[in-house]
Amino acid sequence: MPCQISKPYFDETYCLDRYTGILQTPLHELKYQKRIAYSHALSSAWNALLASQLEKLDSNYLLPVPLSMQKLAQRGFNQSWEIAKRLRCGRDIQKSPYILRRQHYSEHQAGSNLEDRHLSIKGMFYIEAKYIEQIQNKTVIVFDDVMTSGATLNEIARILKDNGVSRVINWVLLRAARPIERVQHV
């Protein structure tokens, strides 16, 4: 397991299901057919199966994995945000699609090997300057629709921790490779 070889920057990952499971089709409908209503169904599945366990996590922010401005303009919405904003979580957790930002990258990661994913994602994310002080010494949940190699979430965790975040927890709708409910990295 790669996280045992090289410790990731994130602290924990919670995942709802396998990428090849029943939720893959609704996610594809949301992302590629622009059927926003599927975000309600996907968040409802999360809320029904995981929310009660995760509401107890002591966290301050819930941030979706961002799309670049170009990709956002092309797609018209960020699927991770569309799902994340409907997730049930602790009352004191602030949800924001504005804190974490992404540079534009012209190539798709789908189908890339692990090494290429890690290299291509380096330096891709940044924290909007006006939020840096707010996130320092806080616990941040990062929500993504799919975790494949973990490269994106690891790079985001690195950027967050480099900017003073104390803990990074991933919430992932679907996980490629193998089903996991919770992985803790010590």
Side-chain angles (χ1 to χ4, degrees):
M1 174 183 268
C3 63
Q4 291 176 339
I5 297 167
S6 166
K7 185 178 180 206
Y9 289 95
F10 52 82
D11 299 287
E12 297 177 72
T13 297
Y14 295 85
C15 178
L16 183 60
D17 198 11
R18 303 179 315 276
Y19 184 69
T20 57
I22 195 169
L23 297 177
Q24 180 184 21
T25 299
L27 180 60
H28 283 192
E29 289 291 319
L30 170 63
K31 286 174 78 167
Y32 306 119
Q33 303 303 317
K34 300 182 180 187
R35 295 188 174 151
I36 300 292
Y38 280 94
S39 64
H40 296 275
L42 293 166
S43 59
S44 291
W46 179 280
N47 289 337
L49 298 170
L50 284 180
S52 62
Q53 299 167 38
L54 300 179
E55 282 180 316
K56 298 170 184 89
L57 288 177
D58 184 26
S59 301
N60 305 99
Y61 292 93
L62 174 64
L63 311 177
V65 170
L67 297 178
S68 68
M69 294 305 285
Q70 293 86 340
K71 184 72 171 185
L72 186 58
Q74 178 186 32
R75 183 170 285 161
F77 62 93
N78 177 340
Q79 72 280 356
S80 291
W81 175 238
E82 290 301 319
I83 298 166
K85 69 184 178 183
R86 294 172 174 87
L87 297 181
R88 211 170 63 231
C89 56
R91 272 189 318 198
D92 297 329
I93 295 176
Q94 296 179 46
K95 297 178 183 177
S96 176
Y98 306 111
I99 295 173
L100 188 59
R101 297 296 189 164
R102 182 182 192 136
Q103 309 284 349
H104 182 63
Y105 182 69
S106 56
E107 294 180 32
H108 296 284
Q109 277 197 308
S112 299
N113 67 37
L114 183 61
E115 187 176 339
D116 288 343
R117 281 176 180 267
H118 285 280
L119 290 173
S120 71
I121 207 74
K122 199 81 167 155
M124 191 66 54
F125 299 96
Y126 63 98
I127 307 300
E128 191 69 48
K130 65 183 178 182
Y131 297 107
I132 291 175
E133 277 189 46
Q134 286 180 283
I135 63 170
Q136 289 179 348
N137 301 313
K138 304 293 186 196
T139 297
V140 172
I141 297 168
V142 178
F143 181 83
D144 202 2
D145 59 334
V146 177
M147 180 180 190
T148 306
S149 69
T152 297
L153 291 166
N154 197 51
E155 179 64 7
I156 288 171
R158 184 185 71 78
I159 294 300
L160 288 167
K161 287 190 173 182
D162 284 354
N163 282 281
V165 169
S166 58
R167 283 182 47 80
V168 177
I169 300 167
N170 299 322
W171 286 5
V172 179
L173 186 68
L174 304 178
R175 172 75 164 106
R178 61 182 181 83
I180 55 173
E181 182 177 302
R182 178 175 188 248
V183 177
Q184 185 160 1
H185 306 280
V186 197

